[in-house]
Amino acid sequence: MSEGDPHALEEWFSSTCGLRKEGERKEKSHYYDTFEWQLYNAGLSAIQKNSRLHLIDMESGQETFRLHFRKNPLHFSPAGIEPCTLKESLLSCTNHRALLRLCTIETEISAFRVLDEHEKTIGFIQTEHAILLNNNVREHIGNFLTIRPLKGYQEVMQNIADQLPLEAVEHNESAFKNLFRLNMAAAGLTVNGYTSDLRLSLRAADPIIKSACAIFKSTLAVMRMNEPGIIDNIDSEFLHDYRVALRKTRSLLTLLKEIFPPEILVLYQQEFKTIGKKTNALRDCDVYLLKKEFYMQNLPESLRHHLERFFIELENTRGSEQKRLKTYLRGSAYEKMVSDWKHLLQNELVLSGANNLKANESTGYVAEKAIKKAMKKVIRHGRNISADTPDREIHGLRIDCKKLRYLLEFFSSLFKPETIAPLLKQLKALQENLGAFVDLAVQQHYLEQHLASLKTTTRDTDLAAALGGLIAILARRQEKARKAFHDTFRHFDSDETEALFTQLLHSEMIS
């Protein structure tokens, strides 16, 4: 692939070898990927053009699959595509996420046949003039030349390519990937510019109040980046990531409460709690809708269609809750609260800790102390769980594990990856077990509430039978998770974990 003035390159080729124009055309390419660039990270690109959706291998630039797809919406869910191999490929990469239209590129293309002295075709070249279409503005991106030799003429065509003006030639094996990145940059997009993970570089010697502000800024940034996706109702993961960042904010306020001025602590604990409550109902709907296929597959076939009504009502409830949350996020009260919080993090919160000894303790010291305390709580709590422990106690242990996980994530930049990664892996296995147990308990409670709200009509009786069957299935799964807990916790509460934990706290911190 070469870059330069296509007309000049055409003239250059004409003077060097035989060239016959085959045709010219314009085409619009609409590039799609998820908010997390999951296709790019899987080595793929989805492009809608010429009434088709093309799935392109990022390295080779070759099409892997395509399907008839006339529309080019701002976003769409791969789950809504007709069953085909391309759909399966998209779903395997995107995990519930919608594909967003990243940008639209118009390309003026001229195709040529390259001829030898006997007028025999030895290859093809294609010149492209790429323009970014941004609303009603057309922005020039660049001119490109693709050389494609016929079999047996690679060396001849390579010699021709080698004679091209040096500044116009870009030798690479990932031409399509480079072009993709060039197009994204032209559209003002940063490939892999979003992650829900915290990107921090804390310093062990810094006052903890300064590091806490850095963590809060990071969680606030994640919340802000996900707001448009929630408001535009693009996919459920925007709300999920928003809520995780919100929970991390609330956890840090609680875990390090001694370092904050009491009036700020009380105010923002309440403010973030209020935001959390505003999002609960919509997230509940998302969770059950995401489990629709699981519910259907696990119910006896004779009961499945009765459950459809439950999901229709859930969809309607979700629509109402999404509008309610959208109004709240667009409201002046929310914007003022977030703006005040951001302003506080700029400087005021650090200054407020000037006379607080706790706020000025070193980040490394506080991190060690907080992680050690959280770990002891998890172990103590977990050892008290028996076969008869109420569900709420197990839910409490799950929260303790989350707080430990968040602390490890908050302060991970202080530790060497090889010391913290194995500990996170051990904790993740325990969290997955507890998460499954608690989620199953919550689902049963929700379904029981819905069951209790039904009337005694025949139609409701059919739905009640389906819900009852589902509750029984979930109860069995929950019991299975409870039995698995003891083995999982025993593995976590082991010499191996203690050794990893000791290694973490006794290793030299990254300063």
Side-chain angles (χ1 to χ4, degrees):
M1 178 173 287
S2 308
E3 183 174 358
D5 179 354
H7 301 299
L9 286 168
E10 289 172 28
E11 288 178 10
W12 182 90
F13 264 89
S14 297
S15 65
T16 307
C17 55
L19 204 63
R20 181 188 301 157
K21 194 166 189 174
E22 293 286 292
E24 57 186 13
R25 68 184 190 278
K26 283 185 183 179
E27 64 183 25
K28 284 183 185 176
S29 299
H30 306 279
Y31 286 74
Y32 285 88
D33 206 334
T34 68
F35 192 55
E36 297 177 271
W37 298 89
Q38 287 161 308
L39 291 184
Y40 177 85
N41 290 320
L44 297 169
S45 175
I47 301 175
Q48 193 279 343
K49 64 179 179 180
N50 301 327
S51 299
R52 288 186 175 82
L53 184 64
H54 306 259
L55 196 59
I56 310 294
D57 180 88
M58 192 64 80
E59 292 299 330
S60 69
Q62 298 296 311
E63 179 184 277
T64 57
F65 302 107
R66 67 176 168 179
L67 63 81
H68 187 68
F69 197 81
R70 295 187 63 184
K71 53 193 177 181
N72 50 71
L74 288 175
H75 56 84
F76 67 94
S77 169
I81 296 176
E82 61 187 64
C84 62
T85 311
L86 186 146
K87 177 180 180 176
E88 290 172 14
S89 295
L90 291 177
L91 288 175
S92 69
C93 303
T94 55
N95 189 29
H96 306 306
R97 299 234 65 164
L99 293 180
L100 314 179
R101 195 172 72 201
L102 303 172
C103 63
T104 300
I105 309 293
E106 182 180 272
T107 312
E108 298 170 359
I109 301 168
S110 296
F112 299 87
R113 186 180 290 267
V114 183
L115 309 171
D116 64 7
E117 64 274 20
H118 305 295
E119 293 288 304
K120 185 177 180 183
T121 301
I122 60 174
F124 300 90
I125 66 168
Q126 181 169 289
T127 60
E128 299 180 14
H129 177 208
I131 300 164
L132 173 71
L133 302 183
N134 189 4
N135 296 321
N136 293 322
V137 179
R138 297 166 63 86
E139 300 175 23
H140 168 76
I141 297 177
N143 300 310
F144 308 96
L145 181 75
T146 303
I147 301 174
R148 185 159 56 88
L150 282 182
K151 188 176 180 181
Y153 294 95
Q154 289 89 344
E155 189 175 343
V156 177
M157 291 293 284
Q158 183 62 54
N159 289 336
I160 294 172
D162 289 343
Q163 295 175 50
L164 282 166
L166 189 59
E167 66 275 13
V169 179
E170 180 188 346
H171 292 289
N172 62 73
E173 296 178 349
S174 304
F176 178 82
K177 190 173 186 178
N178 291 342
L179 181 59
F180 177 89
R181 294 182 70 92
L182 189 67
N183 288 337
M184 295 305 114
L189 300 171
T190 303
V191 175
N192 278 329
Y194 170 78
T195 173
S196 59
D197 297 334
L198 303 181
R199 291 173 173 172
L200 296 163
S201 297
L202 303 183
R203 293 165 58 90
D206 280 346
I208 183 62
I209 189 72
K210 181 181 176 183
S211 298
C213 283
I215 297 168
F216 284 139
K217 285 178 186 175
S218 184
T219 55
L220 179 60
V222 173
M223 288 171 64
R224 298 297 264 179
M225 281 190 281
N226 281 285
E227 285 168 9
I230 300 170
I231 290 170
D232 292 340
N233 198 21
I234 294 176
D235 67 43
S236 60
E237 292 304 296
F238 285 97
L239 180 60
H240 173 265
D241 285 3
Y242 177 93
R243 282 169 55 87
V244 170
L246 178 64
R247 278 202 302 271
K248 287 178 178 176
T249 303
R250 294 180 64 192
S251 287
L252 192 62
L253 279 170
T254 302
L255 290 165
L256 302 182
K257 59 186 176 185
E258 294 174 337
I259 74 170
F260 306 115
E263 66 279 10
I264 290 177
L265 178 69
V266 171
L267 174 62
Y268 283 99
Q269 279 184 323
Q270 184 56 49
E271 293 283 10
F272 287 116
K273 184 179 179 182
T274 299
I275 296 174
K277 282 185 176 178
K278 297 280 186 186
T279 67
N280 285 344
L282 180 57
R283 181 58 191 167
D284 284 348
C285 292
D286 285 341
V287 167
Y288 298 112
L289 288 169
L290 288 170
K291 290 185 181 298
K292 179 178 178 181
E293 192 175 339
F294 165 79
Y295 288 163
M296 289 296 193
Q297 285 178 347
N298 282 276
L299 263 185
E301 196 169 346
S302 58
L303 293 176
R304 287 177 192 169
H305 69 282
H306 298 311
L307 207 56
E308 284 291 352
R309 197 179 119 213
F310 168 73
F311 285 109
I312 291 171
E313 290 174 4
L314 205 55
E315 286 277 10
N316 292 335
T317 303
R318 189 195 181 281
S320 302
E321 292 300 334
Q322 194 277 331
K323 287 177 183 171
R324 193 169 289 126
L325 183 56
K326 175 180 173 179
T327 301
Y328 173 71
L329 292 177
R330 281 180 163 174
S332 56
Y334 173 76
E335 193 56 41
K336 182 178 184 308
M337 179 266 157
V338 174
S339 297
D340 289 348
W341 176 242
K342 184 179 178 182
H343 181 72
L344 194 66
L345 299 179
Q346 297 302 329
N347 209 17
E348 281 185 32
L349 193 55
V350 173
L351 293 176
S352 71
N355 299 317
N356 181 346
L357 291 177
K358 293 287 185 185
N360 286 286
E361 288 178 339
S362 76
T363 299
Y365 170 75
V366 175
E368 278 191 7
K369 191 171 67 169
I371 291 171
K372 194 182 292 183
K373 183 179 175 184
M375 182 69 173
K376 280 184 178 177
K377 193 172 181 183
V378 167
I379 296 296
R380 188 173 62 248
H381 204 159
R383 286 175 180 174
N384 288 331
I385 301 291
S386 69
D388 301 322
T389 300
D391 290 355
R392 65 176 181 279
E393 285 296 318
I394 299 179
H395 181 57
L397 176 59
R398 186 192 188 193
I399 292 172
D400 291 341
C401 287
K402 274 188 179 176
K403 288 178 178 176
L404 174 58
R405 173 73 177 265
Y406 291 161
L407 283 169
L408 291 170
E409 290 179 0
F410 293 154
F411 299 116
S412 63
S413 60
L414 299 176
F415 303 99
K416 293 176 183 172
E418 61 268 26
T419 61
I420 201 163
L423 195 54
L424 281 169
K425 188 178 176 184
Q426 294 279 87
L427 182 58
K428 186 181 175 188
L430 178 58
Q431 283 191 283
E432 285 178 351
N433 171 262
L434 290 168
F437 179 87
V438 174
D439 287 348
L440 288 163
V442 172
Q443 288 170 50
Q444 287 174 73
H445 180 64
Y446 184 89
L447 295 175
E448 284 165 358
Q449 283 185 316
H450 196 84
L451 189 59
S453 71
L454 297 178
K455 298 174 183 173
T456 54
T457 63
T458 303
R459 193 158 161 254
D460 280 351
T461 303
D462 291 338
L463 176 57
L467 290 174
L470 198 53
I471 291 169
I473 291 166
L474 297 177
R476 283 199 296 275
R477 285 180 170 263
Q478 188 191 8
E479 190 54 33
K480 197 174 174 183
R482 181 187 276 271
K483 287 177 181 172
F485 164 77
H486 297 287
D487 285 340
T488 308
F489 184 75
R490 213 167 11 251
H491 183 65
F492 181 76
D493 184 16
S494 63
D495 292 343
E496 182 187 355
T497 305
E498 187 177 353
L500 290 170
F501 188 65
T502 303
Q503 184 186 4
L504 176 77
L505 295 184
H506 288 81
S507 63
E508 188 177 348
M509 285 188 180
I510 299 170
S511 58

